[in-house]
Amino acid sequence: GSATTNSNNNAYSANNYKSFNFNELIEFKVGDKLKLYASYQPYNEEQSSYLCIEKIPEMVVPYIGIYRSSASSDNYRQWNTTIKNSDRYSVTNGNKNVQLQKGGLYRVSSRVHSHYSSGGQQYMYLYEYRNGGCHQHMSAKGTGTSGNKCHVFDEICALKKDDYLQMYDGGYGTVSNAAYDSFQIEYLPFTDVYGVWRSNSVYSTYQRKWD
């Protein structure tokens, strides 16, 4: 059989450039094929069009969880379709929480869509509940258009047992299709090879300062 994942960005005009990003964990078998299809004419330029494939070590595969959503509750995504399960995670609270059963360092990635029937800026939040509080990661898409907007997250998080993660769409709505909303979590056993920085200021005009 075949599987499809979608990235959709409704924008001001079909004449503008749009960037589409995928960050998927996929199990391939010998002979399987991967195709990328553009609904409009693709822009042919190598600096902005690329494909990277990374093989995940076999020892990590049992610690991967992959979930999809075709519904939401109070604007929180409900992960009601399990693509790959792991005993490190459980889906709780009406399928809204991905909860840790074991602590460690984790890579959390998600490709989700917000939907707005009126023109305006759209937001998506990854909520990381740890140490008794909520730590949020935000994605914003531009104003002036209605329809679907794709938000991609790729975070490294230090989490403990019973910490959990949620996706909240800022009150804008969902596409209600599992091909548009995915959530992936991967345990990282080699903690000394990762660095994470965040920016709260700029070094100079248009240049971030990782402070």
Side-chain angles (χ1 to χ4, degrees):
S2 62
T4 301
T5 57
N6 295 330
S7 177
N8 188 207
N9 278 309
N10 289 44
Y12 307 101
S13 166
N15 296 322
N16 291 337
Y17 296 118
K18 288 92 173 176
S19 178
F20 301 88
N21 300 286
F22 293 89
N23 188 5
E24 312 297 316
L25 297 179
I26 305 172
E27 181 182 3
F28 285 108
K29 298 180 176 62
V30 174
D32 287 351
K33 297 178 181 179
L34 179 67
K35 296 181 180 180
L36 295 177
Y37 173 79
S39 60
Y40 288 92
Q41 181 178 350
Y43 178 53
N44 297 317
E45 190 269 318
E46 66 179 15
Q47 293 182 358
S48 60
S49 301
Y50 58 90
L51 173 66
C52 300
I53 298 178
E54 172 190 359
K55 187 179 187 305
I56 296 174
E58 292 295 332
M59 64 169 295
V60 178
V61 172
Y63 309 133
I64 292 174
I66 304 174
Y67 311 94
R68 290 193 175 183
S69 171
S70 61
S72 65
S73 175
D74 298 323
N75 297 107
Y76 289 89
R77 291 295 176 271
Q78 292 177 288
W79 305 108
N80 52 7
T81 302
T82 298
I83 305 300
K84 185 184 181 306
N85 202 6
S86 170
D87 61 7
R88 280 187 169 261
Y89 322 108
S90 60
V91 180
T92 62
N93 188 25
N95 295 327
K96 291 184 290 186
N97 298 0
V98 177
Q99 188 166 358
L100 277 294
Q101 301 303 306
K102 295 182 181 180
L105 192 67
Y106 292 88
R107 182 177 182 178
V108 178
S109 56
S110 189
R111 172 187 44 81
V112 287
H113 286 72
S114 55
H115 178 82
Y116 195 29
S117 58
S118 302
Q121 191 161 35
Q122 299 183 40
Y123 298 92
M124 181 67 70
Y125 299 88
L126 168 62
Y127 286 159
E128 179 187 340
Y129 286 88
R130 55 179 169 82
N131 299 325
C134 176
H135 305 263
Q136 69 180 30
H137 311 268
M138 184 183 72
S139 171
K141 295 293 183 177
T143 61
T145 57
S146 59
N148 302 329
K149 299 288 187 181
C150 184
H151 307 262
V152 175
F153 294 86
D154 192 0
E155 311 292 336
I156 293 178
C157 307
L159 301 167
K160 301 191 301 295
K161 185 179 184 297
D162 295 329
D163 289 348
Y164 60 93
L165 302 126
Q166 295 179 322
M167 299 294 307
Y168 176 69
D169 65 25
Y172 296 98
T174 178
V175 182
S176 298
N177 187 320
Y180 287 82
D181 289 350
S182 69
F183 184 94
Q184 305 166 149
I185 183 166
E186 173 188 351
Y187 172 61
L188 303 176
F190 309 112
T191 59
D192 59 341
V193 297
Y194 299 97
V196 179
W197 294 268
R198 301 201 183 278
S199 174
N200 195 43
S201 61
V202 294
Y203 175 75
S204 59
T205 304
Y206 306 120
Q207 186 175 358
R208 286 289 178 200
K209 182 178 181 181
W210 301 103
D211 51 0

